[in-house]
Amino acid sequence: MAINWSNDSTVNQVRPAGHKRLAMVDIDGSGASTHTVTGIPSDATEVNIHLINYSQSANSTGIMRLRCGNGSLDTGSNYSWGCDDGDGNSQGSNGSDYFRCITTHHNGASHVLTGGINLVRATHSEGIAYSGWIIKALFGDVVNNMVFMSFGRWHTIGVMDRIQVYNAGGVGYDSGGRMIVTVATGSAY
C-alpha cells in the first residue's frame, strides 16, 4: 500500500519506513566471547546494534570491538576510528583490523554498558578512500557513571551482510546482557 503525500500527489512511498529487527541474541555466561549476526539484506542502508547490560565476566583488554563483512568478516586494515571515554582518554587509528568501541583504558569486568552502534551506508564505486559505512558507537556505563563514544568507518565500496561484536581478551560475558540488531533498507544503492 502506498502512502500519498498531501503536498504532492505524484509522490508515493511504497516501502515501509523505519527499522526491522533482524536478530536478538542473549549475551550470557556461556563462555562465548564473540557474537556474530548474518543475514543483513543487500539493500540495507542502516544497521543498528543495540546492547543492553553488556559486561565481561573477567578483566580483559579490548572490552568491545566490531567487525563487518560481506561473505566473511573483514579482518584487513580497513577500519578507521577515534574513541574517547569522556575522562580525557582518547585513542584513534586509520588502518586497523577492527573498529574499537571502548578505549583500552577500561578493561575491568565492573563495566556494564548499555547503548548502541549505528552503521550508515555511504558507499560508491570510486574506491575505498572516500567510501564506506560510517560507524558511531555511544555507550553509557550504568555502574561507573561514564560515557564512551567512538566514531569512524569501515572502508568498503559494497554491501554488508554480517557484523560481529567481540572482546579481544576472549573472555565470556555476565548473564543478563542482550544484543538486538535492526536494519533499515532503501533503494539508494
Side-chain angles (χ1 to χ4, degrees):
M1 169 181 257
I3 298 172
N4 293 317
W5 302 105
S6 62
N7 60 348
D8 187 350
S9 62
T10 63
V11 177
N12 291 322
Q13 179 178 338
V14 295
R15 300 182 70 110
H19 289 87
K20 178 180 179 182
R21 185 172 71 188
L22 178 66
M24 184 172 63
V25 179
D26 285 332
I27 301 173
D28 56 18
S30 67
S33 61
T34 65
H35 296 285
T36 304
V37 173
T38 60
I40 297 170
S42 61
D43 62 345
T45 57
E46 186 172 355
V47 176
N48 287 307
I49 306 164
H50 311 278
L51 292 153
I52 301 165
N53 297 328
Y54 179 100
S55 177
Q56 292 183 148
S57 61
N59 291 351
S60 174
T61 60
I63 289 177
M64 187 188 306
R65 294 181 177 180
L66 171 74
R67 284 193 173 129
C68 308
N70 182 28
S72 63
L73 292 167
D74 185 351
T75 58
S77 300
N78 295 315
Y79 301 88
S80 298
W81 45 263
C83 57
D84 190 89
D85 67 358
D87 199 27
N89 298 307
S90 57
Q91 297 169 321
S93 176
N94 188 18
S96 177
D97 64 351
Y98 61 88
F99 181 85
R100 180 175 291 165
C101 299
I102 307 294
T103 66
T104 57
H105 300 91
H106 301 279
N107 56 16
S110 68
H111 294 287
V112 179
L113 305 170
T114 294
I117 304 168
N118 170 259
L119 301 101
V120 177
R121 187 171 179 181
T123 62
H124 54 79
S125 60
E126 293 179 30
I128 63 171
Y130 304 103
S131 180
W133 285 76
I134 306 303
I135 307 171
K136 299 170 277 199
L138 296 168
F139 289 93
D141 184 334
V142 298
V143 172
N144 297 300
N145 301 323
M146 301 182 79
V147 173
F148 298 97
M149 62 191 93
S150 186
F151 300 92
R153 72 181 165 111
W154 172 41
H155 304 238
T156 185
I157 61 170
V159 301
M160 173 183 3
D161 74 349
R162 67 196 62 222
I163 56 94
Q164 180 182 73
V165 175
Y166 69 101
N167 68 67
V171 300
Y173 297 98
D174 293 329
S175 62
R178 179 162 282 179
M179 178 172 77
I180 301 167
V181 178
T182 61
V183 298
T185 57
S187 58
Y189 291 93

